[in-house]
Amino acid sequence: MNVLLPQAIEPEAIALLDRENCTITTAPDPKPETVLPLIKDAHGLILRTGITITPDLIEAADRLMVISRTGGGLDNVDVAAASEKGIIVTSNLGVNTVSVAEHVLSMMLILSKRLSTLDHAVRNGNFAIRYQNLPRDINGKTIGLMGFGRIGCELGKICRQAFDMQVIAYDPYLAAEKKNECHSWVRMVELKEMLSKSDFISIHVPLTDQTRDLVDEAELSLMKSDAILINASRGGVVNETALIKALESKKIAGAGLDVFSEEPVSGDNPLLKLENVILTPHTAALTRECVARMATEAATCVLDVFAGREPRNVANPKVLESGRWKHNRAFESAV
Ligand code: NAD
């Protein structure tokens, strides 16, 4: 079976595919024009974030059985087009939860403790900056979580347990069962209350039509002037132009951003010149441990489909009901 990798994946996952005698093709680069001729023969595709799988690519993928995302987001796959062609789409939910939560927490600490400013000052001979009392404690402060799914909940737990923080969250879609489970340590609130009462706001919602620009000028104007906004979800959830304005005018104290409206960030993005931000290149989930977990899980999903087993986290389960997959006829129809 042929497995296409638009971008390289970890050796642990390659070993799994090798063990099952898969033929692995790694694209020289993840540009659509490079991937297009390679996708024709692929039975499985393991997808990181460097390429969007568009209807054009799916159209060319005549033998493709499964698109397996290494991460949780599916915004770089046209799931509808894949479904129409009977291609199973899987994502990797939960594997990166702890890594992203740790990343956000470190951004909160770096910004509160003003580590970049202090480090820079020491290197430039300004030891006297210590008398300005720039750092702030996070203990006892309020964190507002926009989205209380896997990552939001994990971060909330850490903030509560390790830093005695008050945890409030806005998530109108949260199941009643989950609300009941957590009600002793998190208070679910409306968006306006979350924005206006939090010292830290961390965003953990998927990018959808409903969440695009969910944090815009009006929402930023509700935040406290010493509050910090962290976005490690997707760039489009925050209106970047409005955020830059709020940061430049010190309407809010700072921001930690792992995701951007345009990635890679262009050299003239005003964010690059701001002192009250910390920027990382979409690396919240890219710890050594996490990428190995993500790649092996993604490879396992591909191998499950090849073997006629239902993989975990199918994003388009209706496809499993279609003629191609019913009664596990996968091999006969696709090879
Ligand atoms: P999840 O599905 O477990 O949780 C998402 C939560 O958002 C759900 O509880 C849902 O009810 C809530 N939600 C949906 N729409 C909402 C809205 N309009 N308002 C408020 N809440 C809403 O997902 P997760 O694993 O916690 O991940 C969250 C997001 O983080 C992912 O969708 C992904 O885009 C992003 N992510 C980024 C990285 C990174 O490297 N920076 C890594 C992993 C995930």
Side-chain angles (χ1 to χ4, degrees):
M1 302 297 277
N2 302 325
V3 178
L4 174 63
L5 311 175
Q7 289 165 287
I9 58 170
E10 307 314 297
E12 292 90 336
I14 299 286
L16 275 186
L17 297 169
D18 276 342
R19 213 175 299 147
E20 298 300 323
N21 296 318
C22 294
T23 304
I24 303 165
T25 305
T26 306
D29 65 65
K31 289 184 190 138
E33 58 271 30
T34 310
V35 171
L36 184 71
L38 301 174
I39 208 168
K40 289 188 198 320
D41 289 328
H43 298 108
L45 183 124
I46 297 180
L47 183 64
R48 296 179 63 166
T49 50
I51 180 172
T52 295
I53 303 300
T54 57
D56 284 354
L57 286 167
I58 287 168
E59 178 64 33
D62 287 332
R63 305 169 90 183
L64 196 60
M65 300 158 78
V66 54
I67 298 173
S68 180
R69 276 280 293 119
T70 54
L74 284 165
D75 39 295
N76 65 331
V77 189
D78 192 316
V79 180
S83 304
E84 215 164 282
K85 217 163 171 187
I87 298 166
I88 296 173
V89 180
T90 64
S91 68
N92 218 326
L93 301 173
V95 196
N96 48 28
T97 301
V98 168
S99 307
V100 178
E102 283 186 9
H103 194 90
V104 171
L105 186 68
S106 48
M107 283 181 153
M108 287 166 58
L109 286 165
I110 286 168
L111 287 161
S112 306
K113 301 295 174 187
R114 303 287 301 267
L115 295 190
S116 304
T117 306
L118 297 176
D119 176 87
H120 189 75
V122 173
R123 288 169 200 271
N124 286 289
N126 180 13
F127 211 81
I129 196 170
R130 67 190 292 261
Y131 298 114
Q132 291 181 31
N133 305 122
L134 294 179
R136 305 274 310 259
D137 292 334
I138 72 170
N139 193 284
K141 299 276 164 45
T142 297
I143 178 151
L145 301 161
M146 187 176 276
F148 195 68
R150 293 174 193 81
I151 299 170
C153 180
E154 180 69 23
L155 177 66
K157 261 188 222 161
I158 299 172
C159 288
R160 179 79 194 147
Q161 289 168 3
F163 298 98
D164 199 21
M165 293 178 78
Q166 309 304 311
V167 183
I168 58 178
Y170 166 71
D171 189 333
Y173 305 107
L174 196 68
E177 202 178 274
K178 178 106 184 255
K179 272 186 210 164
N180 291 338
E181 246 173 56
C182 305
H183 80 277
S184 61
W185 59 272
V186 59
R187 196 163 61 83
M188 302 305 298
V189 296
E190 288 304 317
L191 182 58
K192 278 190 177 164
E193 182 175 354
M194 199 271 291
L195 291 163
S196 59
K197 293 215 168 128
S198 302
D199 301 300
F200 298 89
I201 291 174
S202 191
I203 304 175
H204 301 289
V205 297
L207 179 62
T208 63
D209 289 343
Q210 285 75 42
T211 62
R212 187 172 293 282
D213 289 338
L214 187 58
V215 178
D216 209 329
E217 203 175 333
E219 289 71 30
L220 290 162
S221 73
L222 292 174
M223 286 176 62
K224 292 184 186 178
S225 59
D226 59 355
I228 285 170
L229 180 74
I230 313 278
N231 186 12
S233 64
R234 287 291 181 269
V237 178
V238 178
N239 183 306
E240 206 167 273
T241 311
L243 176 65
I244 290 166
K245 242 167 83 182
L247 288 163
E248 281 173 344
S249 63
K250 305 262 162 64
K251 172 71 206 73
I252 65 171
L257 305 173
D258 187 49
V259 288
F260 303 88
S261 58
E262 185 194 357
E263 294 181 16
V265 174
S266 75
D268 59 357
N269 189 320
L271 284 169
L272 304 184
K273 294 217 159 67
L274 294 177
E275 197 245 336
N276 51 348
V277 298
I278 182 136
L279 312 172
T280 52
H282 206 145
T283 43
L286 300 185
T287 65
R288 285 274 293 282
E289 295 81 359
C290 189
V291 287
R293 284 196 302 270
M294 291 199 289
T296 51
E297 284 291 321
T300 302
C301 285
V302 166
L303 293 173
D304 280 344
V305 172
F306 288 175
R309 291 186 295 268
E310 188 176 325
R312 257 179 291 187
N313 297 326
V314 175
N316 52 353
K318 281 220 167 98
V319 166
L320 300 173
E321 308 290 311
S322 69
R324 189 176 181 189
W325 298 104
K326 239 196 224 149
H327 316 304
N328 281 341
R329 279 179 293 150
F331 270 108
E332 296 144 45
S333 59
V335 183

